[in-house]
Amino acid sequence: MNEPVIETRELTKFYGDIPVVNMLNIQIPRGMIYGFLGRNGAGKTTTIRMLMGLVEPTRGEAKILGQDRGEWTPELRARVGYLAEGHHVYGWMTVRECGLFQAAFYQHWNADIFHAVIKHFGLNEKAKAGGLSRGQRAGLCLALTLAPEPELLVLDDPALGLDPVARRSLLESMIYVTRKQDRSILFSSHLLSDVERVADRIGVMDRGVLRADCTMEEFRRHIHHFVLEFAGVPPAPPQDFEGCLLASFRTEEEMSLTLVNPTERDRETMARLKPRVCEERDLDLEEAFIRYVGDRGEKSFLLHEMGEKK
Amino acid sequence: MRTILWKEFREMWVWVLLATLLVAGAFSYGWSVAVNRMFYSNGEAWHSVLHPSVVLVTTFAPMIVGTALGFLQIMPERSRDRWAFLIHRPIRVEQIFWGKILVGLMGYSLAVVLPFAVFSWYCSQPGSVPGPFYWAMTLPGLSSLLCGVSFYMAAIITSLRETRWFGTKAVALVTAAGQIWVVSGVSSFEAALWQILWPSLALFILAHALFVRQDLFDRLKFGGKVASLYVCFVAACTLPPSIKFIHNMFEKNTSGIWYNYEMDREGRILRVEQSDGGAVKIQDLEGNPINFSDDELLNYPGWRADESYFDQAGPPSWRFSYRDPQYHVNELGRDLSHVWFYLKERRVMVAYDRATRRKTVELGRNGKVSVQTGQAEPFESKHISFRDVRTQLAMFDDGARLINVLSGEIRMLYHVTENGGDCIKSGAHLRKSRVETSKDDYYVLLIGRHFHFYDVEAGLKFKVPVDPAWLKADYVNHSGYYASKSKKIGITFEPRWDIPREKRKKMPIYFLVLNEDGSGVQHFELPPLPFVEIKKPWTRHLKWADDYLLKSLHHRAMMYYHARQGRAHEVEAWQKFLQDPAKYYRHLGWLTLAGFLSSLAGWFWIKRYRPTQDRMLLILSLLFLCGPLGLLAMIMALPRHRLKVCPACGSLRPVEKDHCPHCSAPWQTPEKDGTEIFSVQVREERSS
């Protein structure tokens, strides 16, 4: 009954010898808002472009609304709204012409939604699309994508390059129009803050591999941050954790460690370092995400080492 | 669909308008060049749509406009977001393709066909062109315009193809260039249409397949795959002629030394060397140098009959085709106020006033008739050779006539059927003075095995027998000399111009010498001459390609191709080739070896991908038939699969395949790094 709206099986894409998407398995149930996260170059856009039939996967399968990705019919395209990251519209058209042009292809076109979004972004219908600011163009694209009221919305980093106000404006419109209609949304971004207010579940890509697929609460729960205070210079961080050490940071008397999936044995390992204080602190979601996708390894801020280097 | 048409129209109209103006300007400029030249030297303004300056426009404008429109329609939208915006809409992708194609072709028609049609209509109007105009003269231009459609498709394909190297991307443009090359070489418009149809169809199918499937070979349907291979094969076939072309381009005759035999005013046969700088070195037949103070030492060729038009069926020259103005109308020369033509259809001669560009006089069996009073009656036979109205000698299928265009007087010199059916092989007016014709001049016809000498009153003076060994198809070039001091006549029999230089260098030259009263006939067989020694360009290093690749594959193919066009020399050469078992089987051996080696190379190429046995057999069979060019086409058309080491068996396996073709192992899932966070539900889904 609750058939997934998007389903991939070992979806893989090579550019040259590098797998930019590596055996991706993902299932997004109907009615879910799925935040698709990762750093730039993690493989989010390539995945979305493969799903939309714009890029041919090297191997693997994908289904959209139950149909194979290679069999895009006009009916299926009408059910899927796609907003690409560049916010492309034909610059020589006016805002009104853009609406008319897009509406001509759809049997169902909700002009109210189109005008509401246009109004929300303060767009003049007679303005040339080529003369709009980046945020306004994003609003126009969103209006064009939302007006056909698609069952599935695929938004590829819609807020990319927008200033905070335009970003907020875009997200508000999206939430307003989509939330009450129980639509499925795949929403990619490289910032967790974009999706944290709307996403039911998130997937995190790291160098082509899906490393996390869970709710935000689960995500936050699996990432732990420890602060260890020492009487003197802290020792080097241990390398034998059972969980994955994401990052460590040392100062003159303090060492902080961020781990994914730490175990009791990891806590004992930390205790063996004989810190003066060992404290587990909560990370907010944004911080947890940055630690998760950020560069791995040790960072330090030891004054005596800096002096030696000098 | 209508919306797509509207959008494409809005995007393209400025470009189309610009192209229309440019092409119309190019036609105007071409025509102004043609018209201006008519008042100087050898103007050929009557060629109208076939004038070289206009042909330049009809050849290159379709190529440039077609290519530009194709690129302009696809390239700007090919960047990924724009393409997504274009494609992701609830209509079939085919409809978007058709919308683009329809607007593109309409734009192409407006930009190129419309100016050409207007220009042709202008040429058809009386008073526009100083000569006759037939609508059939527009067919060569029309064939070039049709080739422009291929360039349009090729540009679309080039924009759509995703390959690593631009050369492979642009393979369709090479195919279109090859097509226009072939089309310009065929003898008739019907043949040209076939040559246009197949590549255009293949390019269209491939453009459609790439647009709809948006990927290379593997995802194309059967038609798209065949079209892709065909397009690549045609492109590969342009390689041998391209090598030849490059070789010839650097091998300039003008930088060499020219050799020939001539007769001086004393009646001696001399060996003359001329370098491109104009320096002349003259020797007698014994090799003694002859000093000369001015060019008066030498005679000028009294006449030259390059080729016989009368003893062969079909178009006489391999270059002669519907693209030649002479295919439709013969220009017969010009006097002070008129240009004369022979209309093949009506079998009459007509004169056009050079100032008003209007027809004023007709000349036929019944003599000269003013166009205001009536029409001339047609001559009895169709073909004519009439080099210059001043020589008066006109040769028809049924015989030779002397036609005085000023007086309208016509005299029969020789009638074929009345004289036992011997055809005229060649004929010319032998003038004794360099400056003007005189009543002592001769008209000389080579009929059967004799030269017939006639005086200017059409009376047969004497006949001179020719050695039958000289009357070969390879010796149709004759030059005649009159030695004014010794009163001798000399006639050379030289090898045809289009015989390959290496072969010509081994062919003797014959010289016939006689007194002006027909007595003292002497036959000389002179040593072969190099004709022209060419400074070897750097492309001499391509000689191996010329010897092994071109001679065995390209030359024979071209011979067969021209023989199929009904060109007499090639038909004869092809027949000779077929009747020579040594040559035939050697060639067959070369082809077999080339096919075998190509299959072998193809097998090495393909086996890595472990295709099915049937597919491997099909590919190897095709490679055996198509040879190295087929191999090249295959390399261009088929995608190169990436190979990775299989972790299970250590063999190289294509990354596209789910299972290793060697050990059937699936790919390993990415290694876990301990950062995995999957909710319970997702873990269950993944494990299931």
Side-chain angles (χ1 to χ4, degrees):
Chain A
M1 173 70 185
N2 196 7
E3 185 188 54
V5 286
I6 291 175
E7 186 177 12
T8 69
R9 190 192 65 77
E10 297 186 358
L11 196 65
T12 304
K13 178 69 186 176
F14 273 77
Y15 282 131
D17 286 334
I18 300 163
V20 290
V21 177
N22 196 354
M23 302 189 81
L24 178 69
N25 293 305
I26 208 167
Q27 280 194 356
I28 301 175
R30 189 176 294 276
M32 178 177 277
I33 297 182
Y34 190 89
F36 199 39
L37 299 163
R39 295 183 70 179
N40 291 335
K44 306 181 299 291
T45 299
T46 305
T47 303
I48 287 178
R49 290 173 61 76
M50 282 194 284
L51 292 173
M52 301 308 294
L54 298 166
V55 166
E56 189 65 12
T58 304
R59 62 170 188 270
E61 293 168 9
K63 283 184 175 179
I64 304 276
L65 295 173
Q67 289 193 39
D68 191 89
R69 57 160 294 286
E71 296 163 5
W72 279 96
T73 58
E75 294 73 30
L76 181 61
R77 287 205 188 271
R79 292 166 64 195
V80 180
Y82 173 49
L83 178 57
E85 64 183 1
H87 306 137
H88 176 71
V89 280
Y90 297 115
W92 50 269
M93 289 185 189
T94 61
V95 171
R96 184 171 169 275
E97 281 173 335
C98 285
L100 291 173
F101 175 74
Q102 193 80 343
F105 296 101
Y106 289 89
Q107 284 186 338
H108 176 74
W109 179 263
N110 191 332
D112 292 341
I113 291 180
F114 178 75
H115 287 113
V117 179
I118 292 295
K119 197 176 167 188
H120 181 78
F121 279 84
L123 298 179
N124 177 1
E125 287 203 1
K126 288 178 185 169
K128 289 271 184 196
L132 299 178
S133 69
R134 197 158 185 172
Q136 288 175 317
R137 210 169 65 229
L140 175 59
C141 284
L142 188 68
L144 295 174
T145 311
L146 297 179
E149 298 189 286
E151 277 176 53
L152 170 65
L153 258 177
V154 179
L155 308 171
D156 187 6
D157 221 340
L160 182 73
L162 304 188
D163 62 53
V165 178
R167 183 184 288 267
R168 175 59 63 89
S169 195
L170 188 87
L171 293 174
E172 275 174 0
S173 338
M174 199 184 79
I175 294 162
Y176 173 76
V177 174
T178 56
R179 203 50 170 149
K180 63 181 180 182
Q181 292 171 0
D182 193 27
R183 305 214 176 272
S184 310
I185 301 176
L186 172 65
F187 177 15
S188 87
S189 177
H190 58 276
L191 295 176
L192 188 66
S193 57
D194 283 346
V195 298
E196 69 174 305
R197 288 196 298 146
V198 289
D200 301 321
R201 209 168 91 190
I202 56 168
V204 184
M205 294 281 283
D206 181 30
R207 279 159 285 187
V209 180
L210 185 72
R211 294 293 180 192
D213 187 355
C214 53
T215 62
M216 270 176 292
E217 182 48 36
E218 280 173 313
F219 182 76
R220 203 182 57 77
R221 223 171 44 222
H222 280 76
I223 297 173
H224 295 253
H225 186 68
F226 300 93
V227 177
L228 287 77
E229 285 179 20
F230 294 87
V233 176
Q239 298 300 317
D240 55 347
F241 288 117
E242 281 183 339
C244 181
L245 178 64
L246 291 175
S248 63
F249 186 78
R250 283 192 295 158
T251 58
E252 293 300 319
E253 292 185 339
E254 198 175 275
M255 176 163 67
S256 60
L257 300 168
T258 312
L259 284 103
V260 188
N261 304 322
T263 59
E264 274 311 310
R265 218 191 103 204
D266 292 338
R267 292 174 206 277
E268 288 165 10
T269 304
M270 281 184 269
R272 276 202 298 274
L273 296 174
K274 297 181 179 160
R276 198 153 48 84
V277 181
C278 179
E279 187 183 353
E280 185 170 350
R281 292 183 189 167
D282 284 340
L283 288 175
D284 64 25
L285 206 53
E286 182 75 20
E287 190 63 26
F289 175 70
I290 289 169
R291 300 276 169 130
Y292 188 74
V293 297
D295 294 328
R296 308 275 160 87
E298 192 200 3
K299 293 186 183 79
S300 66
F301 197 71
L302 300 170
L303 290 176
H304 71 277
E305 281 184 10
M306 291 175 79
E308 280 168 13
K309 277 176 195 168
K310 276 182 185 177
Chain B
M1 177 80 166
R2 213 168 49 185
T3 318
I4 287 289
L5 288 173
W6 169 77
K7 174 234 160 204
E8 288 298 321
F9 172 76
R10 283 283 301 269
E11 286 182 343
M12 296 303 293
W13 75 268
V14 175
W15 295 112
V16 170
L17 186 66
L18 186 68
T20 311
L21 292 174
L22 285 175
V23 173
F27 272 118
S28 306
Y29 179 72
W31 180 237
S32 71
V33 170
V35 173
N36 284 338
R37 278 194 184 163
M38 74 172 275
F39 295 108
Y40 309 106
S41 63
N42 297 315
E44 287 164 336
W46 70 269
H47 290 177
S48 61
V49 287
L50 292 176
H51 191 277
S53 57
V54 178
V55 167
L56 205 66
V57 180
T58 52
T59 305
F60 285 100
M63 289 165 66
I64 295 167
V65 173
T67 308
L69 288 181
F71 278 132
L72 282 169
Q73 270 194 301
I74 303 294
M75 276 283 195
E77 295 206 275
R78 198 57 185 140
S79 69
R80 55 192 208 173
D81 291 337
R82 288 166 183 242
W83 191 252
F85 188 67
L86 173 75
I87 293 296
H88 186 75
R89 48 193 69 252
I91 54 170
R92 294 176 65 206
V93 184
E94 284 90 338
Q95 286 177 289
I96 302 173
F97 174 76
W98 277 109
K100 278 193 172 284
I101 291 289
L102 284 176
V103 172
L105 291 181
M106 271 194 295
Y108 175 77
S109 304
L110 272 172
V112 181
V113 181
L114 184 68
F116 180 69
V118 171
F119 178 67
S120 302
W121 173 83
Y122 166 77
C123 290
S124 72
Q125 298 305 300
S128 307
V129 175
F133 177 86
Y134 290 98
W135 280 103
M137 290 163 86
T138 61
L139 293 179
L142 191 62
S143 63
S144 296
L145 299 194
L146 290 173
C147 288
V149 177
S150 297
F151 277 92
Y152 171 71
M153 295 294 171
I156 289 178
I157 292 167
T158 306
S159 309
L160 288 170
R161 279 194 85 175
E162 286 177 4
T163 55
R164 295 182 194 178
W165 182 52
F166 186 79
T168 327
K169 234 172 138 66
V171 69
L173 286 170
V174 179
T175 302
Q179 181 197 38
I180 206 163
W181 195 340
V182 171
V183 166
S184 63
V186 296
S187 58
S188 69
F189 182 63
E190 289 74 23
L193 278 182
W194 286 110
Q195 305 295 346
I196 292 166
L197 179 70
W198 296 118
S200 303
L201 194 64
L203 288 167
F204 173 79
I205 292 172
L206 184 57
H208 177 268
L210 287 178
F211 194 97
V212 174
R213 293 278 158 184
Q214 298 159 48
D215 202 58
L216 281 183
F217 204 78
D218 283 344
R219 278 199 71 207
L220 301 181
K221 286 186 177 172
F222 179 73
K225 284 180 178 170
V226 172
S228 177
L229 282 170
Y230 180 79
V231 165
C232 290
F233 183 65
V234 174
C237 286
T238 60
L239 185 66
S242 300
I243 294 174
K244 189 76 186 161
F245 179 74
I246 293 168
H247 189 251
N248 290 348
M249 200 166 66
F250 287 94
E251 197 178 61
K252 286 178 182 156
N253 288 355
T254 50
S255 63
I257 301 168
W258 300 74
Y259 298 86
N260 67 323
Y261 290 111
E262 292 190 18
M263 180 185 259
D264 73 352
R265 302 175 82 189
E266 307 288 346
R268 291 177 297 182
I269 300 171
L270 303 175
R271 188 175 186 271
V272 180
E273 289 178 21
Q274 282 177 288
S275 73
D276 54 335
V280 177
K281 183 181 167 191
I282 300 175
Q283 295 172 314
D284 63 16
L285 293 180
E286 281 75 41
N288 305 313
I290 305 284
N291 295 321
F292 61 98
S293 54
D294 57 50
D295 67 354
E296 281 302 302
L297 180 76
L298 292 171
N299 280 290
Y300 72 101
W303 52 271
R304 195 179 284 278
D306 290 342
E307 209 157 356
S308 168
Y309 279 72
F310 308 103
D311 58 350
Q312 295 161 357
S317 161
W318 76 273
R319 287 186 187 281
F320 196 68
S321 78
Y322 75 110
R323 302 179 83 86
D324 294 301
Q326 306 286 349
Y327 190 85
H328 310 280
V329 179
N330 286 124
E331 188 192 350
L332 305 177
R334 53 193 65 203
D335 54 34
L336 279 176
S337 57
H338 289 90
V339 192
W340 283 87
F341 299 95
Y342 177 73
L343 307 183
K344 289 180 178 178
E345 264 180 25
R346 287 187 51 209
R347 299 183 186 182
V348 293
M349 292 163 68
V350 293
Y352 278 74
D353 189 287
R354 293 169 75 174
T356 63
R357 301 179 189 172
R358 286 176 187 273
K359 189 167 71 175
T360 53
V361 179
E362 289 190 355
L363 198 153
R365 200 166 49 185
N366 55 339
K368 209 169 168 183
V369 181
S370 166
V371 288
Q372 282 151 357
T373 55
Q375 287 192 326
E377 286 181 26
F379 287 108
E380 289 84 349
S381 81
K382 191 176 178 184
H383 292 104
I384 191 174
S385 170
F386 197 3
R387 288 187 168 272
D388 194 328
V389 284
R390 285 170 300 179
T391 66
Q392 300 190 8
L393 179 64
M395 286 182 291
F396 292 82
D397 286 341
D398 64 344
R401 293 174 177 82
L402 292 178
I403 301 173
N404 188 329
V405 293
L406 294 176
S407 65
E409 185 189 5
I410 300 168
R411 278 178 292 179
M412 199 72 192
L413 205 59
Y414 175 83
H415 199 285
V416 173
T417 48
E418 286 173 11
N419 290 278
D422 271 343
C423 291
I424 303 170
K425 289 183 185 297
S426 65
H429 178 195
L430 179 61
R431 282 190 287 165
K432 291 183 179 175
S433 161
R434 179 184 294 226
V435 184
E436 57 187 12
T437 56
S438 77
K439 60 184 178 182
D440 294 331
D441 288 351
Y442 283 125
Y443 290 104
V444 187
L445 302 180
L446 177 58
I447 302 165
R449 293 179 177 180
H450 291 82
F451 274 114
H452 293 220
F453 284 75
Y454 295 89
D455 61 20
V456 293
E457 299 300 323
L460 178 65
K461 299 297 287 182
F462 54 86
K463 292 186 196 177
V464 176
V466 182
D467 189 330
W470 299 6
L471 301 172
K472 289 179 276 192
D474 289 344
Y475 284 86
V476 291
N477 294 340
H478 313 306
S479 296
Y481 299 91
Y482 179 71
S484 55
K485 284 189 178 169
S486 61
K487 313 285 186 196
K488 281 188 173 178
I489 295 168
I491 301 171
T492 62
F493 279 68
E494 295 165 10
R496 253 182 22 234
W497 308 119
D498 55 326
I499 290 173
R501 197 168 51 250
E502 291 302 314
K503 191 180 170 190
R504 284 185 62 146
K505 281 165 78 169
K506 295 172 190 161
M507 294 169 74
I509 291 169
Y510 304 114
F511 220 113
L512 182 74
V513 179
L514 64 148
N515 297 322
E516 67 172 339
D517 60 358
S519 62
V521 177
Q522 292 173 287
H523 291 78
F524 295 93
E525 183 176 324
L526 304 174
L529 286 178
F531 174 56
V532 59
E533 281 293 351
I534 287 168
K535 286 177 189 167
K536 290 289 179 192
W538 64 269
T539 49
R540 65 184 177 278
H541 301 300
L542 293 173
K543 193 174 182 308
W544 63 270
D546 193 48
D547 285 348
Y548 296 104
L549 184 65
L550 298 184
K551 264 187 193 150
S552 53
L553 298 171
H554 174 62
H555 291 186
R556 298 273 182 254
M558 290 309 283
M559 189 198 290
Y560 174 71
Y561 170 72
H562 287 297
R564 282 285 302 272
Q565 303 287 318
R567 281 156 181 155
H569 296 321
E570 277 72 18
V571 169
E572 189 185 324
W574 182 250
Q575 290 297 336
K576 263 189 195 170
F577 167 67
L578 291 180
Q579 286 158 10
D580 185 342
K583 271 188 187 172
Y584 179 74
Y585 285 111
R586 195 169 61 222
H587 179 64
L588 212 59
W590 268 112
L591 286 181
T592 311
L593 183 66
F596 175 73
L597 290 175
S598 304
S599 300
L600 196 65
W603 180 73
F604 272 109
W605 177 272
I606 294 290
K607 77 182 173 82
R608 297 179 293 177
Y609 307 135
R610 290 288 183 106
T612 59
Q613 205 172 358
D614 290 348
R615 181 173 280 196
M616 178 66 111
L617 203 63
L618 177 71
I619 291 170
L620 295 187
S621 308
L622 284 173
L623 285 178
F624 184 75
L625 289 174
C626 300
L629 299 177
L631 182 67
L632 194 61
M634 188 193 79
I635 290 170
M636 287 191 286
L638 298 188
R640 294 181 192 186
H641 295 285
R642 287 175 197 88
L643 299 170
K644 289 254 174 197
V645 177
C646 175
C649 68
S651 308
L652 286 173
R653 59 187 276 193
V655 294
E656 288 81 1
K657 302 243 168 120
D658 285 339
H659 293 91
C660 176
H662 306 279
C663 66
S664 304
W667 289 98
Q668 283 182 343
T669 50
E671 217 171 290
K672 290 185 176 176
D673 66 356
T675 61
E676 286 71 21
I677 307 171
F678 292 102
S679 59
V680 178
Q681 185 194 351
V682 172
R683 277 204 296 273
E684 282 169 4
E685 283 166 5
R686 288 169 75 88
S687 62
S688 69

